[in-house]
């Protein structure tokens, strides 16, 4: 997964604007990439800018095109699968953004 995605965090624990309560940035995920199921205590919100992907949260899967908002409440298991094009999204994390993700 590490060689199939990139991100630029603008606000966060190690970002140019330091915060331990809010994370905000951009993520780019390559085509035909499976971001396997995981969960974390942070509340996560994505806004899809480009690309369409299948997003799964709490066992429900939906196709999310550009303009979609994708919300993952704290500790909800979620995953994502890009199609034939890369996905670009804006993301935010709130709440406990410093505890690590748990991979399912």
């Amino acid at each position: 997964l590490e060689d199939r995605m990139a991100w630029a965090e603008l606000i966060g624990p190690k970002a140019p604007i330091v915060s331990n309560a809010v994370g905000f940035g951009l993520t780019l995920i390559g085509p035909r990439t499976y971001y396997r199921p995981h969960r974390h205590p942070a509340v996560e919100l994505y806004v899809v800018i480009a690309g369409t992907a299948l997003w799964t949260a709490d066992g429900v899967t939906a196709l999310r095109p550009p303009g979609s908002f994708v919300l993952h409440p704290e500790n909800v298991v979620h995953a994502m699968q890009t199609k034939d094009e890369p996905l670009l999204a804006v993301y935010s994390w709130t709440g406990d953004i410093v505890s690590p993700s748990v991979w399912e």
Side-chain angles (χ1 to χ4, degrees), residues 31-94:
R32 295 171 301 284
T33 299
Y34 182 57
Y35 196 150
R36 67 187 180 103
H38 63 286
R39 60 184 167 81
H40 39 70
V43 175
E44 182 175 52
L45 175 66
Y46 286 97
V47 180
V48 179
I49 304 300
T52 299
L54 288 169
W55 298 75
T56 302
D58 222 8
V60 177
T61 301
L63 196 61
R64 304 292 184 167
S68 297
F69 289 80
V70 181
L71 176 65
H72 300 135
E74 61 187 38
N75 290 311
V76 167
V77 176
H78 55 282
M80 190 266 298
Q81 171 73 53
T82 57
K83 297 298 207 172
D84 291 333
E85 57 191 0
L87 176 92
L88 176 64
V90 174
Y91 71 87
S92 70
W93 274 33
T94 56

